[in-house]
Amino acid sequence: MVHKVIEWSLHNRFIVLMLSLGIFVWGVISVKKNPIDAIPDLSENQVIVFTEWMGRAPQLIEDQITYPLVTNLQGLPRIKYVRGSSMFGMSFIYVIFDDDVDIYWARERVLERLSTVSSALPTGAAPQLGPDGTGVGHILWYTLDAPKLDLGEQRAVQDWYIKFALQNVQGVSEIASFGGFQKQYQVTVDPNRLLYYKLSVPDVINAVRTNNNESGGRKFEMSDIGYIIKTNGYLQSIEEIENIPVANQNGNPIKVSDIGTVQMTGEARLGIFDQDGEGERVGGIVVMRYGENAAEVIDRIKLKMKEVAKGLPEGVKFDIVYDRGELIKESVESIKRTLIEEMIVVSIVVIIFLFHWRSALSIIIQIPITLAVSFILLNAFGISSNIMSLTGIALAIGVIVDNGIIMSENAYKHLSERYVQWESSNKKSSEI
């Protein structure tokens, strides 16, 4: 009977040991898969609708765009509320959904509603969705160190080369450009000349728009060869814009140059970006996609930057002004060091107070097993490893060993009482 009890006890211990080892291995794998960030993402589950209608006052934006969009988007399923904000030339709508709603399901619902609302908006106002990121999605800011290029050329390099290359990086939702000048052709019309030629501003706009176009013809065959006819009317220089005919009076064409001037300049700006008081800079903001691993995305962006830098003009290089990767590394290393120190201190305290290495070992083993289970649950609930979640684990280490100490002391007490009873019964039997 004694041998059977011992065998059953050893068998159970082996099963528990293998189960604990399996949980520990699973936890190690979960640690590597768990997203790492410096701060927890506490932002609301929102979809942003952005509409641009430049040149209009905030009150007109509110009446013509923001109000119609807000009233129509309020009927969406599983939303908390809809916020609207109007400013000069721009409208922002924030559609807040329930926390358990999938972000891409929410974006689809908003797109479906926008397809029916857009027809009621003014001509030229086209609402579009914001990036599928969150309020803490700005993971990296960079500027261009280009002393040989002016601000317009720097912005062209950023918009037409760097932005397209970095947007292909896995986990990046958007590259938001800032600073510099966006080059454009501007036609400055003289109102006195318009009055003299009896023309209006819409006449000039329509003439420029219709002449900046390309149209296709038909195919015809000649000498057993097929030809496709097309007209190429895209404007490519200031001279071509100046020569556009606006009207014809008494057989004489009235050109754009007759009623105004054409120049290459930058788009009107609402602000500038200055770095360290040394002058204006051009750069971009890397916005991380919802639910991605911030540390991994930053590493991919930096690797892509090295590849992109090979194609930049001579003397142009990246200057990273904000890198959350450094904050993530410092935060995680600090918490990791604290966890190790606490595990060592708690283990020493348990050994000293119990003064029994087998009991202490059974309690100390609970610490890594509990940490493994914690990371398994973090992955299961979609929580990232950040300064808040890791600090919670660090604070709970003392609580983790409490139940083990209580159980060990309780078991030791019961074993001692049984041993005393066994000794007393043996003493009585020997006396008899």
Side-chain angles (χ1 to χ4, degrees):
M1 183 68 181
V2 175
H3 290 293
K4 289 183 178 180
V5 171
I6 294 174
E7 289 178 0
W8 182 81
S9 177
L10 292 175
H11 180 68
N12 283 352
R13 289 181 183 179
F14 179 76
I15 293 176
V16 172
L17 182 61
M18 295 305 297
L19 182 62
S20 301
L21 183 61
I23 293 175
F24 181 74
V25 173
W26 187 8
V28 172
I29 297 173
S30 299
V31 170
K32 296 181 179 180
K33 291 184 177 181
N34 190 251
I36 301 175
D37 205 341
I39 52 179
D41 187 359
L42 303 178
S43 59
E44 294 177 305
N45 196 6
Q46 68 177 5
V47 177
I48 302 174
V49 180
F50 167 69
T51 309
E52 190 175 31
W53 200 29
M54 296 307 296
R56 276 71 176 184
Q59 186 60 48
L60 183 61
I61 295 289
E62 176 73 20
D63 296 338
Q64 297 292 323
I65 297 178
T66 304
Y67 179 76
L69 288 177
V70 168
T71 53
N72 280 275
L73 291 174
Q74 282 179 340
L76 291 174
R78 305 192 66 184
I79 64 170
K80 291 183 178 179
Y81 38 83
V82 181
R83 300 171 181 162
S85 176
S86 303
M87 60 185 68
F88 180 77
M90 290 177 285
S91 169
F92 291 91
I93 310 295
Y94 303 92
V95 185
I96 313 299
F97 286 83
D98 293 334
D99 294 334
D100 58 341
V101 172
D102 180 71
I103 184 65
Y104 295 105
W105 181 89
R107 292 171 68 87
E108 288 178 2
R109 300 287 81 77
V110 174
L111 276 176
E112 289 176 359
R113 185 58 61 89
L114 287 179
S115 63
T116 60
V117 180
S118 299
S119 59
L121 298 180
T123 304
Q128 55 186 351
L129 294 187
D132 53 342
T134 64
V136 294
H138 294 193
I139 57 175
L140 188 138
W141 289 41
Y142 65 87
T143 59
L144 298 180
D145 185 5
K148 297 181 181 180
L149 300 181
D150 60 45
L151 293 174
E153 293 172 331
Q154 292 183 38
R155 184 59 183 261
V157 172
Q158 162 63 24
D159 287 341
W160 300 103
Y161 174 61
I162 298 175
K163 181 177 180 178
F164 294 150
L166 296 183
Q167 276 184 338
N168 291 328
V169 176
Q170 181 183 353
V172 174
S173 174
E174 184 186 26
I175 303 295
S177 302
F178 60 83
F181 294 93
Q182 292 179 278
K183 290 185 177 181
Q184 61 179 202
Y185 293 107
Q186 288 186 358
V187 179
T188 305
V189 180
D190 188 343
N192 295 321
R193 294 185 183 182
L194 283 178
L195 184 63
Y196 176 78
Y197 289 111
K198 298 179 181 179
L199 297 173
S200 63
V201 174
D203 293 333
V204 182
I205 295 174
N206 184 60
V208 175
R209 180 179 290 122
T210 54
N211 281 272
N212 185 34
N213 196 4
E214 179 175 332
S215 60
R218 58 171 293 178
K219 176 184 177 182
F220 75 96
E221 293 186 4
M222 185 174 63
S223 301
D224 295 331
I225 299 176
Y227 295 90
I228 298 176
I229 300 174
K230 70 168 186 173
T231 59
N232 188 1
Y234 284 127
L235 300 173
Q236 298 180 354
S237 65
I238 294 177
E239 290 75 15
E240 291 182 358
I241 301 176
E242 290 177 340
N243 292 327
I244 293 176
V246 180
N248 192 325
Q249 296 182 358
N250 299 324
N252 297 319
I254 309 301
K255 301 178 181 179
V256 173
S257 58
D258 296 329
I259 57 176
T261 59
V262 182
Q263 60 183 347
M264 171 76 78
T265 182
E267 186 180 359
R269 302 190 298 172
L270 300 178
I272 65 172
F273 182 86
D274 180 88
Q275 183 175 349
D276 300 331
E278 298 177 356
E280 291 189 53
R281 287 288 186 94
V282 175
I285 303 171
V286 180
V287 182
M288 181 183 66
R289 183 167 282 114
Y290 179 86
E292 291 287 338
N293 190 329
E296 292 182 359
V297 175
I298 291 173
D299 291 338
R300 296 192 203 110
I301 282 289
K302 290 181 178 178
L303 188 63
K304 188 66 175 180
M305 280 182 170
K306 294 180 181 179
E307 181 181 340
V308 172
K310 298 177 183 179
L312 293 176
E314 184 179 356
V316 180
K317 59 183 179 179
F318 289 106
D319 183 12
I320 297 178
V321 296
Y322 169 71
D323 180 8
R324 195 191 295 176
E326 297 298 327
L327 178 61
I328 292 173
K329 291 179 182 177
E330 293 179 3
S331 301
V332 173
E333 287 297 326
S334 176
I335 296 297
K336 190 185 298 183
R337 184 171 59 252
T338 302
L339 281 173
I340 294 173
E341 291 175 355
E342 285 194 4
M343 289 171 65
I344 294 173
V345 170
V346 169
S347 301
I348 293 174
V349 170
V350 169
I351 293 173
I352 292 175
F353 276 83
L354 291 181
F355 212 70
H356 187 263
W357 71 270
R358 292 179 65 183
S359 301
L361 183 62
S362 65
I363 297 171
I364 294 171
I365 289 176
Q366 296 180 24
I367 299 176
I369 299 298
T370 306
L371 293 178
V373 173
S374 300
F375 278 97
I376 293 172
L377 295 177
L378 287 178
N379 277 351
F381 289 100
I383 303 174
S384 63
S385 298
N386 52 67
I387 193 169
M388 296 296 291
S389 58
L390 295 179
T391 302
I393 295 174
L395 294 173
I397 284 183
V399 181
I400 291 171
V401 298
D402 282 349
N403 62 336
I405 294 174
I406 294 171
M407 295 298 292
S408 297
E409 289 290 346
N410 189 42
Y412 189 79
K413 177 184 177 182
H414 285 286
L415 289 173
S416 300
E417 291 176 352
R418 290 186 180 183
Y419 181 75
V420 170
Q421 293 176 359
W422 179 76
E423 272 196 338
S424 61
S425 62
N426 283 345
K427 187 176 180 181
K428 288 180 180 178
S429 62
S430 61
E431 288 177 355
I432 292 173

